[in-house]
Amino acid sequence: MGMHKDCERVLLTEEQIRTRVKEVASQVDRDYRGKNPLVVGILKGSIIFYADFIRCLSMPVELDFMAVSSYGSGSVSSGKLRIKKDLDRDVKGRDVIVVEDIIDSGFTLANLKLLLTERGAASVRIATLLNKADRREYDVAPDYNCFDIENEFVIGYGLDYNEQYRHLPYIGVLKRSVYEK
Ligand code: IMP
Ligand code: MG
């Protein structure tokens, strides 16, 4: 299968992703040995990463999901996350691992971490596939990060533009012409 026509170039190949996700997940596997973490996937962008990630864990894990969105920028009341789908499980006393596709401004994860802590989680750590460190506006850092990337809009392996391209098995840079027209 060739590269999608809307891709400028492939940033990370299937092979590179597979190798790195295994490395990072093995680290998590060692760190959580003897524990029973609640692994929270943030819908929908994290789903492919999530599926590969949890299959590298050997401790008993419980799966749960949340869907969130931020209010549009420019709104006065920033700092509030809108929960579109909440967790099924109670996080009180649990070791929570939040699995996310990408940290950009940090708004989503800074607020989510606060929320889960307020709900009484014993610990909250973040595992992200991608990190755009230069874009950070909110004080949050990943505990586990697969790749640092530049400030470019990327798609594939779960990440979308306008709900498209999530199924691509690699991560590519989206052509500017797609979102500038
Ligand atoms: P943050 O709250 O600003 O950190 O934004 C995180 C969210 O922005 C991610 O969960 C993605 O949905 C979205 N996002 C940021 N950068 C990209 C990108 O390059 N491609 C696709 N989605 C992105
Ligand atoms: Mg997202």
Side-chain angles (χ1 to χ4, degrees):
M1 191 170 69
M3 189 177 72
H4 193 286
K5 65 171 174 50
D6 293 345
C7 255
E8 180 76 46
R9 65 178 198 282
V10 173
L11 186 64
L12 298 162
T13 65
E14 282 188 73
E15 182 62 36
Q16 286 174 303
I17 299 168
R18 191 180 312 121
T19 305
R20 182 62 183 147
V21 167
K22 272 189 190 149
E23 252 171 45
V24 170
S26 303
Q27 181 64 50
V28 175
D29 196 45
R30 284 193 292 277
D31 293 353
Y32 284 81
R33 191 161 293 164
K35 298 196 164 154
N36 172 27
L38 184 68
V39 186
V40 173
I42 307 306
L43 298 172
K44 302 171 214 172
S46 75
I47 59 162
I48 316 276
F49 172 46
Y50 187 96
D52 286 343
F53 177 81
I54 56 169
R55 281 180 288 177
C56 297
L57 304 179
S58 57
M59 79 289 283
V61 300
E62 283 174 58
L63 316 190
D64 210 339
F65 298 92
M66 269 181 109
V68 296
S69 70
S70 44
Y71 291 110
S73 59
S75 98
V76 184
S77 62
S78 63
K80 270 291 169 196
L81 204 63
R82 194 165 72 88
I83 299 172
K84 296 196 284 186
K85 184 235 175 283
D86 210 337
L87 297 169
D88 296 330
R89 309 290 285 163
D90 188 357
V91 299
K92 207 178 197 87
R94 299 298 304 270
D95 294 307
V96 178
I97 305 171
V98 178
V99 178
E100 176 63 304
D101 53 358
I102 185 166
I103 313 184
D104 187 39
S105 73
F107 175 87
T108 308
L109 284 174
N111 282 288
L112 206 54
K113 203 168 171 175
L114 202 66
L115 178 77
L116 297 173
T117 305
E118 279 170 5
R119 288 182 180 180
S123 67
V124 181
R125 284 190 188 169
I126 295 164
T128 189
L129 175 68
L130 304 172
N131 183 35
K132 283 183 185 173
D134 286 350
R135 295 263 304 164
R136 202 59 30 81
E137 291 171 40
Y138 297 83
D139 185 26
V140 67
D143 300 281
Y144 305 98
N145 171 34
C146 297
F147 301 99
D148 279 308
I149 65 165
E150 301 295 312
N151 180 20
E152 293 178 301
F153 199 88
V154 293
I155 51 166
Y157 197 72
L159 290 110
D160 77 308
Y161 173 69
N162 240 344
E163 293 303 328
Q164 298 295 307
Y165 317 113
R166 292 194 196 275
H167 65 295
L168 300 179
Y170 51 86
I171 292 170
V173 177
L174 185 64
K175 282 184 182 165
R176 300 189 75 91
S177 58
V178 175
Y179 54 89
E180 282 178 350
K181 71 185 172 201

